[in-house]
Amino acid sequence: MDKFLQEKAPIFEALKRYKSNRIVRFDVPGHKGGRGNRELTNFLGQDCLTVDVNSMKPLDNLSHPTSVIKEAEKIASEAFGSKNTFFIVNGTTAAVQAMIMSTCKTGDKIIMPRNVHRSAINALIISGAIPVYVNPGVDKKLGISLGMPLSHVKEAILKNKDAKAVLVNNPTYYGICSNLDKIVEMAHENNMLVLVDEAHGTHFYFGDDMPISAMEANADMAAVSMHKTGGSLTQSSFLLCGKNVNSNYVRQIINLTQTTSASYLLLASLDLARKNLSLNGNDIFKRTMDLAQYAREEINNLGGYYAFSKEIIDGDKVFDFDETKLSIHTLDIGLAGIEVYDILRDEYGIQIEFGDIGNILAIISAGDRILEIERLISALSEIKRLYEKDKIGMLESEYIDPEVVLPPQRAFYGSKKPISIDNSLGGISAEFIMAYPPGIPILAPGERITRNVLDYIYYAKEKGSLLTGTQDMKIENIYVLEG
């Protein structure tokens, strides 16, 4: 990596030049550098509002970059080892959807794990692509879905030779990685592209002793959520493309849905986050790993909790593990993960990433301090002392094998009617139901509503999970297909 090149931040530098020129503003945004909305300016700061600007020649245009954004894309490509890189300001959702929509058209098959983020299934609804689901492995003790077993991926490829691509999570929300290197090899041997959802894997490109990254594994595209572990502003991401991808076509696909009024705050944050990681990533993620490992050891010493790590690697369903993830199993103290999540926030002022049926996830970064880690450990100890109970009757698994009846697009746009969830058993869903976060659907359009699905929904609601996806905001009714 060229250190001199990585020290540059073209978008950020262009914004500084623009600001110093004291341009008279007769363009949007209408707050005119903050003067038109003083309360907002006082809240976010004058420096922020003065660089919240519109596209113009000196600042380039994200939809068709020819100068500073184009240069920033090239520098990011060198940092990530990709052939081309796109700045995404509609969130990693837009990057995941662009991967699928630039690869698959109506009726094309794509092989993917069922524990994908909602954004991937949304892309199927928009594009009309047909999913070939590979059920992930399941750890019955932890109650979590794992990676895709190689034998299952191979079977799906051989049975669906006409599939256009394989999509892989690298890692899952819990930090679990599939054998990406081998999956890429198998897919390419069968003329399929490999698309990688790396929403939680930014650090794989910059830290030592990390699981393999998508570009290192020679995958074809990767959606990288820089704002999650890379230090950029929320909603900013990169879409990386390898040598087998027509990046000019990918840009056209991105421009179908991405805003034409790109936020320069988001663009500059991506530029500066990439610079910071390129120059300091090893140190940043070593500290992150050390903090996570310390927290794991101390939490496991409390008893009752299980902060899992590389010991769950089995060489297949768990091919590797991201040690920066602080994933903690809670069922053995008689509390669902979402219950621990709520107690931490409401009674201890600690906001973690999410809680599900059996686990919680705390995101650790170099921005954390040991004092805050100690506070989390202390709170978990007290929660165990105050709230521990028998685990009898608790639901233990968060993954349910889906019964897929129709492609998502046909179900979503099909003739449908609302019905009480209580009376929906056996129906074919035309909507999503998911807990957010993590945003992995419990039920997706085109899937049959089974007893296991209903039991999970009732249990999640009882425990306090935030369920989303149906038109009915109370999640009491659901649209099912007629007939």
Side-chain angles (χ1 to χ4, degrees):
M1 193 182 298
D2 185 338
K3 183 179 179 182
F4 174 76
L5 186 66
Q6 293 302 320
E7 287 176 343
K8 300 178 69 177
I11 300 172
F12 168 67
E13 291 156 11
L15 280 172
K16 287 203 299 182
R17 288 193 297 271
Y18 169 84
K19 186 176 178 182
S20 67
N21 288 337
R22 307 184 75 166
I23 299 293
V24 178
R25 301 167 187 252
F26 286 108
D27 62 348
V28 296
H31 60 67
K32 300 300 177 82
R35 295 193 304 272
N37 190 338
R38 286 298 178 189
E39 187 173 10
L40 180 64
T41 304
N42 291 339
F43 180 59
L44 294 180
Q46 187 73 47
D47 287 343
C48 176
L49 272 292
T50 54
V51 293
D52 179 36
V53 294
N54 194 30
S55 295
M56 61 189 75
K57 279 189 176 180
L59 297 178
D60 210 351
N61 187 301
L62 184 61
S63 299
H64 190 90
T66 58
S67 58
V68 294
I69 294 176
K70 184 177 181 180
E71 184 184 3
E73 288 178 346
K74 288 182 177 178
I75 296 171
S77 294
E78 196 219 36
F80 284 90
S82 58
K83 183 180 178 184
N84 295 99
T85 298
F86 296 99
F87 281 59
I88 303 293
V89 295
N90 282 26
T92 310
T93 286
V96 169
Q97 291 174 350
M99 289 197 302
I100 294 173
M101 292 165 61
S102 62
T103 305
C104 301
K105 300 180 179 64
T106 301
D108 286 344
K109 294 179 184 176
I110 178 170
I111 297 166
M112 60 171 63
R114 176 54 179 78
N115 59 325
V116 289
H117 188 264
R118 174 184 179 169
S119 58
I121 300 179
N122 283 347
L124 304 180
I125 292 172
I126 296 167
S127 68
I130 310 297
V132 176
Y133 289 128
V134 174
N135 285 327
V138 175
D139 186 309
K140 293 185 178 179
K141 178 183 184 303
L142 299 176
I144 62 172
S145 50
L146 306 173
M148 293 190 289
L150 273 183
S151 60
H152 292 190
V153 178
K154 183 177 181 179
E155 181 183 4
I157 288 174
L158 294 178
K159 285 185 176 179
N160 299 274
K161 289 274 195 174
D162 54 343
K164 299 296 183 182
V166 180
L167 187 143
V168 185
N169 295 321
N170 192 52
T172 68
Y173 229 127
Y174 299 101
I176 290 160
C177 301
S178 300
N179 189 344
L180 182 59
D181 208 15
K182 189 64 177 176
I183 290 172
V184 169
E185 181 184 317
M186 287 194 300
H188 285 176
E189 285 174 353
N190 289 274
N191 300 312
M192 299 177 191
L193 297 179
V194 177
L195 318 178
V196 183
D197 182 346
E198 275 184 325
H200 295 273
T202 304
H203 45 292
F204 291 2
Y205 291 88
F206 303 99
D208 286 333
D209 301 319
M210 295 283 179
I212 194 170
S213 69
M215 291 297 106
E216 188 181 359
N218 199 31
D220 299 290
M221 302 178 77
V224 179
S225 208
M226 282 289 282
H227 70 90
K228 287 187 170 69
T229 59
S232 66
L233 292 177
T234 295
Q235 200 175 309
S236 59
S237 294
F238 283 132
L239 175 56
L240 312 179
C241 297
K243 63 181 183 297
N244 298 323
V245 173
N246 180 352
S247 58
N248 293 323
Y249 178 64
V250 173
R251 191 183 298 279
Q252 286 187 322
I253 295 297
I254 292 170
N255 287 341
L256 290 176
T257 56
Q258 179 151 264
T259 177
T260 56
S261 302
S263 165
Y264 277 86
L265 298 174
L266 298 182
L267 293 174
S269 80
L270 281 169
D271 210 14
L272 289 173
R274 182 273 313 152
K275 175 183 176 181
N276 184 38
L277 294 185
S278 297
L279 301 178
N280 307 304
N282 279 341
D283 292 339
I284 288 170
F285 294 121
K286 183 182 184 308
R287 173 168 169 75
T288 301
M289 195 111 68
D290 289 345
L291 287 172
Q293 184 57 29
Y294 171 75
R296 255 192 301 274
E297 291 172 359
E298 293 299 309
I299 290 167
N300 285 334
N301 286 338
L302 297 175
Y305 299 104
Y306 175 33
F308 48 94
S309 185
K310 286 201 167 189
E311 71 279 355
I312 69 171
I313 290 175
D314 64 6
D316 189 23
K317 298 184 295 294
V318 186
F319 184 76
D320 207 346
F321 184 83
D322 174 12
E323 291 183 284
T324 70
K325 292 285 187 293
L326 183 57
S327 303
I328 307 164
H329 188 61
T330 65
L331 283 188
D332 287 341
I333 65 166
L335 294 176
I338 185 60
E339 293 176 303
V340 176
Y341 170 98
D342 285 340
I343 295 168
L344 282 169
R345 183 194 61 242
D346 296 342
E347 299 187 22
Y348 295 90
I350 296 173
Q351 181 64 56
I352 58 172
E353 178 68 7
F354 80 88
D356 61 17
I357 296 303
N359 303 273
I360 59 174
L361 173 67
I363 296 294
I364 307 296
S365 81
D368 288 309
R369 298 169 295 180
I370 193 67
L371 179 67
E372 290 154 341
I373 300 292
E374 295 286 5
R375 185 173 165 186
L376 173 62
I377 295 164
S378 176
L380 289 173
S381 175
E382 203 164 294
I383 288 169
K384 177 177 180 285
R385 179 174 62 83
L386 295 174
Y387 296 98
E388 185 173 18
K389 58 187 179 183
D390 198 298
K391 62 182 284 188
I392 290 175
M394 301 195 74
L395 195 62
E396 295 189 346
S397 179
E398 61 89 33
Y399 179 75
I400 300 168
D401 287 348
E403 187 179 331
V404 180
V405 181
L406 290 173
Q409 187 185 65
R410 281 183 59 191
F412 187 81
Y413 290 112
S415 179
K416 55 196 175 185
K417 62 182 180 182
I419 190 171
S420 165
I421 285 180
D422 293 341
N423 299 320
S424 67
L425 180 65
I428 300 169
S429 177
E431 299 187 293
F432 289 97
I433 295 183
M434 73 206 80
Y436 191 86
I440 297 168
I442 302 164
L443 184 68
E447 295 176 1
R448 192 174 301 283
I449 302 169
T450 64
R451 174 51 57 193
N452 284 341
V453 167
L454 291 177
D455 287 346
Y456 188 103
I457 291 168
Y458 293 142
Y459 188 83
K461 289 178 75 171
E462 176 193 333
K463 293 299 182 182
S465 293
L466 173 63
L467 296 182
T468 68
T470 59
Q471 289 188 39
D472 177 10
M473 298 293 284
K474 295 181 179 179
I475 322 291
E476 294 174 351
N477 300 287
I478 186 170
Y479 273 87
V480 299
L481 294 183
E482 292 184 322

